[in-house]
């Protein structure tokens, strides 16, 4: 009944988290996948610590931020309270921020050029920390977008491994805003397979169920959990 459905709509962060978790589970099981193999990265960019706390208090531990400076301002204090949390960088990385990125983040989804690979390799060696690494692929070949082009990604992954000795876990993409995402998810899955990579960071609030159908291991969901951003 309409009224019941309306009453069931999640009204706070903890409820929205539960709802997204249930959707992830449904999508995984519907595609004969183990829900445990899909990590929900709760994207908290632009939201202050007060807005993130309810998610932490509800037991969620994996979060995504897209700016190093913003993460640096927000997360050390939260990490002191919740030492088991995991922070993922999902936004563009400048090589002069590699040091802070390796200090702050447990995973970096946006490795996309030799200069970054080199800077990360240097910091990983210096700090003795090993963030999990994903190569960002510009699956739509969009000029304004970050990421390695599909034509050159195999060579880039090879260079990351052989030249920079980086353990690459997987690939990440942000499909073009105005195209059905499925072809991009399929392309990312294909590139991952031929390069022997197990991780697939793809799918956001609007399309994470679809991404799970194409093998997503990390879905990055922001607004569906924290609400619309300014
Ligand atoms: C903001 C952002 C997300 C989350 O987007 P929503 O539509 O709010 O779920 C996911 N991935 C990246 C790279 C982002 O910058």
């Amino acid at each position: 009944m309409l009224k019941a459905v309306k009453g069931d709509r999640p009204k706070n962060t903890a409820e929205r988290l539960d709802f997204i978790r249930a959707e992830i589970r449904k999508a995984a099981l519907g595609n004969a996948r183990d829900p445990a193999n899909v990590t929900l990265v709760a994207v908290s960019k632009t939201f202050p610590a007060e807005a993130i706390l309810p998610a932490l208090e509800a037991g969620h531990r994996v979060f995504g931020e897209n700016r190093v400076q913003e993460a640096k301002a927000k997360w050390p204090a939260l990490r002191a309270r919740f030492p088991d949390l995991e922070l993922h960088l999902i936004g563009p990385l400048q090589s002069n921020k590699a040091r802070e990125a390796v200090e702050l983040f447990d995973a970096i989804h946006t490795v996309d050029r030799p200069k970054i690979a080199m800077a990360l390799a240097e910091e990983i060696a210096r700090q003795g920390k090993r963030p999990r690494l994903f190569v960002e692929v510009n699956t739509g070949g969009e000029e304004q977008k970050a990421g390695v082009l599909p034509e050159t990604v195999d060579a880039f992954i090879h260079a990351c491994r052989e030249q920079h000795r980086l353990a690459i876990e997987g690939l990440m993409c942000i499909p073009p805003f105005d195209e059905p995402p499925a072809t991009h998810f399929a392309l990312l899955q294909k590139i991952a397979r031929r390069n022997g990579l197990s991780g697939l960071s793809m799918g956001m609030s609007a399309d994470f169920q679809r991404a799970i159908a194409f093998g997503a291991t990390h879905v990055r969901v922001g607004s569906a959990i924290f609400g619309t951003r300014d």
Side-chain angles (χ1 to χ4, degrees), residues 43 45 66 90 172 174 204-205 220-223 229:
V43 177
K45 65 185 183 195
N66 70 336
I90 60 166
M172 178 271 218
I174 309 169
M204 321 204 314
S205 290
R220 311 178 308 266
V221 179
S223 47
R229 291 177 294 271

Side-chain angles (χ1 to χ4, degrees), residues 43-49 51-52 65 70 74 222 226-229:
V43 177
S44 50
K45 65 185 183 195
T46 78
F47 287 96
I52 302 169
E65 288 283 343
E70 184 184 343
K74 267 163 34 179
F226 296 106
T228 40
R229 291 177 294 271

Side-chain angles (χ1 to χ4, degrees), residues 41-113:
V41 181
V43 177
S44 50
K45 65 185 183 195
T46 78
F47 287 96
E50 308 88 81
I52 302 169
L53 264 176
L56 283 159
E57 278 159 358
H60 195 73
R61 289 294 180 269
V62 186
F63 294 85
E65 288 283 343
N66 70 336
R67 288 167 191 267
V68 174
Q69 290 315 302
E70 184 184 343
K72 196 178 165 184
K74 267 163 34 179
W75 283 94
L78 291 169
R79 210 191 271 276
R81 286 179 63 184
F82 301 92
D84 57 337
L85 70 81
E86 215 181 274
L87 199 55
H88 292 230
L89 177 64
I90 60 166
L93 177 59
Q94 252 67 62
S95 56
N96 63 359
K97 297 269 168 64
R99 177 161 303 184
E100 288 171 300
V102 172
E103 280 166 7
L104 280 163
F105 291 95
D106 305 289
I108 296 172
H109 292 230
T110 49
V111 183
D112 71 348
R113 53 194 188 278

